[in-house]
Amino acid sequence: MDPQTLTELLDVAVLDRLDRIDDLKGDELARSTALRKEGFSADVTAALLTQARLRHEAAAKLGPFAEDMLFTRDGLAQATRLPVAAHHARRLIGDVAEGESFRIADLGCGIGADSVAFAGMGAHVSAVDADEVTAAIAAFNLRHLPDAAVEHARAEDVDLDGFDALWFDPARRTIGKADKRGSTSRITDPEAFSPSLSWVIEKASAAKAAGVKLGPALDHDLVPDEAEAQWVSHNGEVVEVCLYFGEARQRPGRGALVMGERTLLVHEDNLPDEDEADIGELGKYLLEPDGAIVRAGLVAALCAPLQARRLHPKIAYLTTDVEPSGPAAAGVTSYEVVDVLPAKVPSLRKELVSRGIGSVVIKKRGADIVPDQVRRQLKLPKGDKATLVFTRLGDKHVVLLTQPV
């Protein structure tokens, strides 16, 4: 979104029409035609319909707050989900006593999702973003929170003295020059983040309390010794890794937080000694660890509490003869193993057809396949549904026929 479009969108009459956009019936073309007949320009009409779509999509991340917010496509994609933002706030702020002043800087605030959580926890929030339009949208989204202020500025130019906590979310995407629509591409070099990861870690390490939000593919070697690195998944999707410093750090090292219907915390302190890591035969159940646990390198930490063993030292599947239960069960998706089938497509198809299976979900680890391609090659007739897991048992490539537990 360019500044001119945002200025037009912030007009009181336009915002009022956005709040009543659901009054319009019909498809996109019909809604666009109706708005043009009401006197809105083509650009404003397009902006209204885009915001309506983004608000609808944002509800999954931000709940009812989305109904009263503005977005950019990239801003929404990178925004912190509301339950995860609340977790950040608890880690950095804790309980603010009545009358106590707690100041936090949100450096790289995006559309303001984390700032909403920080202010909701009673903190005085100073939010900044280097992008002019994004900062203006954040200011709009935080307008009902008197203890939150937004500034258009680079994190490197902010005086960080006097804050009780710092929150960093460095930009990890760049706007494409060739695409007039403003396409983005992911930055892989941490020193090309904005601000750079080394600058962020230097400032975070010196702060009273600090957190750094990064992408979950972060190399473990980039985690400073003094930090706690916590990979986070929400409803089965790995969303981030956060580095915590100072008073926000609970214990150093790598950890994983699984958030959803049930919550599970796993830490590298729970890992067995290397010589105690159990690699064994396929059992009655196949366990697929949550992605945050896999990213954190903590799969083996689930073995003892789930009475499980690893199928292969380099593949993140577990197996057990006992149906998973207890708190650690929140860290895996469980499948009952029905049979072990051949990996070659002609033989596999024959086995599936003989069992009346016509619809398959295909998973893989340790197998060089393309699931959609295999599904097309199988050409199964209509039938029952099953989950196929392409993996390795020892040196042998196999397909496990499974059913979700």
Side-chain angles (χ1 to χ4, degrees):
M1 184 189 305
D2 60 77
Q4 180 59 37
T5 300
L6 178 60
T7 299
E8 294 176 345
L9 188 60
L10 290 174
D11 181 270
V12 173
V14 177
L15 288 173
D16 177 68
R17 195 64 187 93
L18 177 59
D19 290 338
R20 297 182 292 106
I21 200 76
D22 288 339
D23 295 347
L24 297 174
K25 306 302 180 184
D27 59 15
E28 193 88 344
L29 179 59
R31 288 153 64 94
S32 176
T33 301
L35 288 170
R36 293 303 306 277
K37 287 182 178 179
E38 292 179 20
F40 294 104
S41 69
D43 287 343
V44 170
T45 294
L48 281 169
L49 294 176
T50 297
Q51 288 302 314
R53 287 194 300 270
L54 293 176
R55 281 184 171 184
H56 177 74
E57 295 173 18
K61 272 191 171 186
L62 301 169
F65 289 97
E67 299 175 2
D68 196 33
M69 298 175 71
L70 295 178
F71 303 94
T72 63
R73 172 63 63 184
D74 287 335
L76 175 57
Q78 297 168 47
T80 304
R81 302 181 186 198
L82 193 59
V84 181
H87 170 68
H88 296 160
R90 288 190 293 269
R91 288 293 302 260
L92 268 76
I93 301 170
D95 296 322
V96 178
E98 186 175 351
E100 180 183 355
S101 177
F102 188 99
R103 296 186 63 212
I104 184 169
D106 185 351
L107 303 161
C109 65
I111 62 168
D114 280 301
S115 285
V116 169
F118 297 149
M121 288 283 288
H124 296 272
V125 182
S126 295
V128 303
D129 200 277
D131 181 75
E132 179 184 7
V133 169
T134 302
I137 287 177
F140 177 86
N141 292 339
L142 295 168
R143 67 195 184 282
H144 298 309
L145 298 167
D147 291 330
V150 181
E151 180 184 0
H152 171 218
R154 299 191 321 144
E156 299 95 323
D157 298 332
V158 176
D159 182 358
L160 302 181
D161 290 338
F163 287 102
D164 298 289
L166 304 178
W167 177 251
F168 299 90
D169 188 355
R172 300 179 295 281
R173 288 183 177 273
T174 183
I175 302 297
K177 295 181 180 179
D179 191 338
K180 294 181 180 179
R181 295 172 298 177
S183 65
T184 62
S185 58
R186 192 178 302 277
I187 300 172
T188 57
D189 179 7
E191 289 310 294
F193 294 171
S194 182
S196 69
L197 184 58
S198 60
W199 183 90
V200 168
I201 289 176
E202 177 188 350
K203 300 304 179 183
S205 298
K208 181 179 178 181
V212 182
K213 176 185 172 182
L214 298 166
L218 182 73
D219 192 316
H220 290 186
D221 292 338
L222 294 176
V223 177
D225 292 338
E226 69 272 21
E228 174 187 356
Q230 186 178 75
W231 278 260
V232 179
S233 68
H234 181 255
N235 290 338
E237 183 179 351
V238 188
V239 294
E240 67 183 27
V241 58
C242 280
L243 307 182
Y244 291 103
F245 298 81
E247 294 179 3
R249 186 191 74 172
Q250 294 175 344
R251 52 180 173 174
R254 290 175 284 111
L257 171 63
V258 179
M259 303 178 69
E261 292 184 7
R262 293 179 293 173
T263 298
L264 176 66
L265 274 168
V266 182
H267 193 269
E268 65 176 309
D269 290 347
N270 307 126
L271 285 171
D273 293 334
E274 191 170 331
D275 57 359
E276 296 177 0
D278 191 10
I279 307 294
E281 298 294 323
L282 179 65
K284 183 178 180 181
Y285 299 97
L286 180 75
L287 311 181
E288 181 181 21
D290 181 89
I293 297 173
V294 175
R295 289 281 194 179
L298 302 177
V299 171
L302 297 175
C303 289
L306 294 176
Q307 303 178 55
R309 52 196 177 271
R310 300 191 71 162
L311 281 178
H312 190 280
K314 295 184 179 180
I315 297 177
Y317 280 132
L318 301 177
T319 188
T320 179
D321 301 304
V322 181
E323 184 173 346
S325 61
V332 297
T333 301
S334 304
Y335 301 89
E336 184 175 0
V337 179
V338 178
D339 206 348
V340 180
L341 303 179
K344 291 187 177 180
V345 171
S347 301
L348 177 59
R349 183 183 189 282
K350 183 177 179 181
E351 292 286 350
L352 294 174
V353 171
S354 70
R355 288 169 167 80
I357 295 172
S359 175
V360 292
V361 174
I362 298 178
K363 294 179 170 289
K364 67 160 189 171
R365 279 182 182 164
D368 186 17
I369 66 158
V370 179
D372 287 342
Q373 182 179 336
V374 171
R375 191 179 293 106
R376 289 193 298 269
Q377 291 173 342
L378 285 171
K379 298 179 181 178
L380 295 172
K382 291 184 179 180
D384 296 332
K385 187 175 182 178
T387 300
L388 302 180
V389 180
F390 285 70
T391 190
R392 291 167 58 187
L393 296 179
D395 295 330
K396 185 179 180 182
H397 288 270
V398 298
V399 177
L400 305 181
L401 176 62
T402 71
Q403 293 287 355
V405 174

